[in-house]
């Protein structure tokens, strides 16, 4: 008997890559002026269009290059679709801060670039929109022997400095509580 062929139908892509960020640029991004988020789970930069500043032109070019690769080579979209940054801001999660499950309705591709990532500062979870696996009925709960790409309801990425994550904006994501004594800083891209 032959080994069966397994098709992964309708996958949701997530790409990760590391960027080369000059120390001066990284420090400048981290030292932004912040305000507390209204739902009280972190701080957001006052400037929500960071990448429009001329001093971040080279970083913006790197990120746009990765987003274009994502659009063209991974998603298979034509070059007739231009990518434009709607927003770009810096988030700081201090000790105890976290992020609830959410998605970005105002864009096509979203991304996160980690600038400062102390140990235990909170992983990012990418959540299945419907937590019921596609192969079963929503009223059934089946035990899994081991999570895999077919049956899992979330995918976890541990942050590390200079890590860039790009994903479709409708992909739900959340961040676990920062259990370190330091702040974690990341750049959000939309």
């Amino acid at each position: 008997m032959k080994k069966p062929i397994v098709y992964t139908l309708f996958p949701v892509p997530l790409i990760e890559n590391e960027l080369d960020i000059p120390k001066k640029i990284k420090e400048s991004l981290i030292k932004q002026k912040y305000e507390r988020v209204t739902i009280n789970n972190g701080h957001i930069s006052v400037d929500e269009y960071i990448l429009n500043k001329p001093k971040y032109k080279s970083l913006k070019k790197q990120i746009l290059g990765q987003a274009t690769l994502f659009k063209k080579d991974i998603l298979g979209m034509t070059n007739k679709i231009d990518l434009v940054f709607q927003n770009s801001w810096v988030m700081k999660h201090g000790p105890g801060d976290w992020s609830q499950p959410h998605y970005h309705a105002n864009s096509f591709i979203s991304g996160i670039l980690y600038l400062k990532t102390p140990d235990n500062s909170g992983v990012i979870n990418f959540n299945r929109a419907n937590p019921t696996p596609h192969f079963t009925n929503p009223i059934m709960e089946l035990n899994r022997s081991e999570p895999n790409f077919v049956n899992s309801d979330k995918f976890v990425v541990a942050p590390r400095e200079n890590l860039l994550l790009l994903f479709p904006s409708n992909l739900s994501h959340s961040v676990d509580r920062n259990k370190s004594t330091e702040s974690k800083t990341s750049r959000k891209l939309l």
Side-chain angles (χ1 to χ4, degrees):
M1 180 182 286
K2 289 183 178 181
K3 185 176 179 178
I5 297 171
V6 176
Y7 297 99
T8 55
L9 301 176
F10 318 115
V12 178
L14 165 70
I15 67 167
E16 80 171 51
N17 204 346
E18 290 197 20
L19 298 186
D20 183 24
I21 308 167
K23 184 178 179 180
K24 189 176 181 180
I25 296 291
K26 189 186 292 191
E27 288 173 354
S28 174
L29 286 166
I30 291 170
K31 291 180 181 178
Q32 295 296 307
K33 183 177 179 183
Y34 296 92
E35 59 188 12
R36 191 78 176 154
V37 177
T38 54
I39 53 176
N40 207 28
N41 63 353
H43 291 82
I44 188 169
S45 62
V46 173
D47 185 351
E48 294 184 21
Y49 301 92
I50 294 275
L51 289 178
N52 289 344
K53 290 194 163 136
K55 67 180 169 182
Y56 302 126
K57 185 178 180 179
S58 65
L59 179 59
K60 182 177 182 176
K61 185 177 178 181
Q62 279 191 73
I63 295 167
L64 191 54
Q66 290 295 305
T68 300
L69 178 135
F70 183 69
K71 172 196 81 160
K72 186 178 174 223
D73 296 351
I74 308 300
L75 299 178
M77 308 304 286
T78 68
N79 283 333
K80 293 180 181 179
I81 299 171
D82 291 328
L83 298 178
V84 177
F85 286 96
Q86 294 293 325
N87 301 94
S88 55
W89 63 90
V90 181
M91 282 297 299
K92 187 181 343 181
H93 282 149
D97 287 339
W98 57 282
S99 174
Q100 74 286 356
H102 67 283
Y103 63 92
H104 303 273
N106 66 336
S107 57
F108 172 57
I109 298 172
S110 290
I112 301 168
L113 174 60
Y114 290 98
L115 303 168
K116 181 180 175 191
T117 56
D119 290 341
N120 298 314
S121 59
V123 298
I124 184 166
N125 303 291
F126 292 95
N127 311 298
R128 184 190 298 263
N130 177 356
T132 304
H134 296 303
F135 60 83
T136 188
N137 186 310
I139 61 170
M140 295 176 141
E141 185 172 331
L142 303 174
N143 294 328
R144 296 175 268 205
S145 60
E146 187 175 319
N148 63 37
F149 71 95
V150 175
N151 69 17
S152 63
D153 56 1
K154 76 177 175 179
F155 181 76
V156 177
V157 177
R160 62 186 185 276
E161 289 187 22
N162 301 338
L163 175 66
L164 174 68
L165 299 172
L166 295 173
F167 49 92
S169 296
N170 66 349
L171 179 58
S172 176
H173 54 286
S174 59
V175 178
D176 286 356
R177 193 169 300 281
N178 180 353
K179 293 179 181 175
S180 78
T181 57
E182 300 177 61
S183 292
K184 174 177 61 180
T185 309
S186 57
R187 275 249 327 86
K188 305 289 182 170
L189 324 160
L190 294 174

